[in-house]
Structures are given as structure tokens and as C-alpha cells.
Amino acid sequence: MDIEQAQTLWQPEPGWLNTASYGLPPEPAWTALQAALADWRVGRTSWESWDGATQRSRAAFARLIGVPVADVTIGATASQLLAPVAAALPAGATVVVPEVEFTSNLFPWLAQEPRGVHVRTVPLDKLADSVDADTDLVAFSLVQSSDGTVAAYEEIVAAARAHGALVAVDATQACGWLPFDGTRADVVVVGAYKWLMAPRGASFAYLAPALRDRLRPDAANWYAGVDPHTSYYGPPLRLAEDARRFDISPAWFSYVGAAPALELVAEIGLSAIHAHDVALANRFLVGLGRPPGDSAIVTVEVPGAQERLERAGVRAAVRAGRVRASFHVYSTEADVDLALDALTS
């Protein structure tokens, strides 16, 4: 399916340039969710039919980042999925994080400071050079929420490996438009409600097998059982041997909407989405006299920008005092030109 064919599956109002805040559902996801809600309203079906979407979503996510499905756990938020990793750090461990990191990939590490974990923040462009023999874990967003900067993934991973440090990546602002190899990291967490265009409440994590052996499943529950259907009552503890041991019981309807959305992203192809998104972002930048970049998220400083965009019906965001525009598969050149007209008139 090419981009032009895919765009018929969305119905955005003109001027939506804010996927970095939340993505818009494609028609298959919207339809599946409405059907599930209708069944829920009248008690027409059992929950098992909804739960099938959880397993489809897990498998689709694994394909998108190139990892084994057995290494993927599901949850509700990125920070919740990082929590067992943070809790497993030994007292005295050092975590290196970018200075302007989104707090879902910062607070879990800072919360461990009372027991002796040290968090050191450095400029993002100095992150690889800041990894040293005292570093136990490097945590960073693959794409920065504040301004769309794409991290030097391979360079940072190489520096971490050279010093025996773990790598924890928040790919929430990347997964869905930026192709990358998830197996290069030890942990990859993704909130699926942005570029994967799922309902909020569906999140995924890749947990490398060697790392999982260090983690304790503090949120152990029936859904993390080796067989959830025989894990409803009573001891002994009987958790899955793979990454499912870290699952939490899913918000059913979030995954009902997630499965078709993730499968559609895979059908269109990340390479095609990446080319489309970055081309539109660069059309926007060049139209404002800025040099082109490599991200689907861009930030600009234009006097009165927020008010100008609002008057034109363009929905973007303001982050760190700058207008942030983000472009995805359903975005068009007309959306870009609407924003440019507002900002340059």
C-alpha cells in the first residue's frame, strides 16, 4: 500500500500538525474500537475476543523494531515499563541521560536516587562522549520530544558497549516513522498513542533476554502467568519464562484500536512513511527559510506563531517556548502550506 492509498484511511481536519502529541486513528482501528464498544455496551461477547488484539499488537510491534515477539512485554505507559529496570539498578549505579530528556525516561531513574543511584545529565550531542567506565546505564529518547532531534543511536550504543553499560531507549517519538534496530538496545519502550496512532493506554517494551534475568516482576499478576487462563487463583507463583512475565493486565479497548493501527504501519512500510514525513517537515522548514533536517518533528521561532496558527486553524504544539510541528502519514502538502501561509503572511 502506498502513501496515497493509505491516506484514504484517515479523515483529519485540515491543519493537524501535532502527531507528536497524539496520532489520529486510521479507519480500521476506529471501526474495530467502535465494534468493541458496541459489544461491551450490551454484553454481546467475552473479553477473550478483545484480548486477541493484545497479542496481534505485540507481534506487530516486534516486527516494526525487528525483535523476537517473545522479548516484548505490554503495558500502559513508557515510565511504567521502565520502572523494573530502574528498580534493578544496584545502589551506587550511575545513569547518564540527556539534559532535556522527557521525564518519562528521567523520573524512573531519579526516583532511585534515595538508595544511591546517581543520575548525570549531559548535552544530547555529548552523550556518547560522556559514557565512561563509571556508567552503568545510558538512557535517552531516540527522537527528542522537545524539538525533534534524532539521537546518534549507533554512536551512543557503541560507546555504551565499549564501557559495559546498558542502553535504555524511549522510542515513543520515533517508532512509527523512523526505522531502527531495536535489538541494538537492552530496553526499548514505546507509548503507542503517538506515531503508532493507537488509543492511549497501549505501550510496549523490548526487554533483552540478558537484561530480563536481572529484573524482578514486581507487578506480577494473572496476565503474566505462563498460562493466564490457569493463573486466576492461588499459589504457586507461575509466571511466563519470556518477556510476558512483565505484562500488566491490558486495557482491552486500547489494544483493540492498537492492533489494526500497528499492522497498517507495517503494511505501508516504515521506509515509505519516513520519506513522506521528513519530506513534509523539510517543505515546512524550507518555506520558512530554514535548512532541511532529518526529523518528522521540527521547531521554529516565529513572532506570534501560536496565535497565527490558531487563527488559521492549524493545530500544533508549543514546547520549550517554540512552536513544534509534526508530520505523519495522513499529513499533506496542503497542511504544510496552510501553516506556511499563516506564519509568513
Side-chain angles (χ1 to χ4, degrees), residues 13 65 215 218:
E13 294 184 1
I65 69 167
L215 309 184
D218 286 338

Short mmCIF file of all heavy atoms in Angstrom, two decimals, residues 13 65 215 218:
data_model
loop_
_atom_site.label_atom_id
_atom_site.label_comp_id
_atom_site.label_asym_id
_atom_site.label_seq_id
_atom_site.Cartn_x
_atom_site.Cartn_y
_atom_site.Cartn_z
N GLU A 13 -9.16 16.72 9.94
CA GLU A 13 -9.48 18.08 9.54
C GLU A 13 -8.17 18.75 9.10
O GLU A 13 -7.12 18.49 9.67
CB GLU A 13 -10.12 18.85 10.68
CG GLU A 13 -11.48 18.31 11.07
CD GLU A 13 -12.16 19.15 12.15
OE1 GLU A 13 -11.56 20.17 12.57
OE2 GLU A 13 -13.26 18.79 12.58
N ILE A 65 10.17 -3.16 15.07
CA ILE A 65 11.50 -2.79 15.55
C ILE A 65 12.49 -3.96 15.41
O ILE A 65 13.63 -3.85 15.88
CB ILE A 65 11.47 -2.26 16.99
CG1 ILE A 65 11.13 -3.34 18.01
CG2 ILE A 65 10.50 -1.10 17.11
CD1 ILE A 65 11.41 -2.89 19.45
N LEU A 215 15.94 -8.56 36.31
CA LEU A 215 14.76 -7.81 36.73
C LEU A 215 13.82 -8.66 37.59
O LEU A 215 13.69 -9.87 37.39
CB LEU A 215 13.99 -7.29 35.51
CG LEU A 215 14.79 -6.52 34.45
CD1 LEU A 215 13.85 -6.00 33.37
CD2 LEU A 215 15.56 -5.38 35.09
N ASP A 218 7.85 -7.07 39.80
CA ASP A 218 7.12 -6.58 40.97
C ASP A 218 5.63 -6.40 40.72
O ASP A 218 4.85 -6.34 41.66
CB ASP A 218 7.71 -5.24 41.42
CG ASP A 218 9.06 -5.41 42.12
OD1 ASP A 218 9.33 -6.52 42.62
OD2 ASP A 218 9.83 -4.43 42.16
#
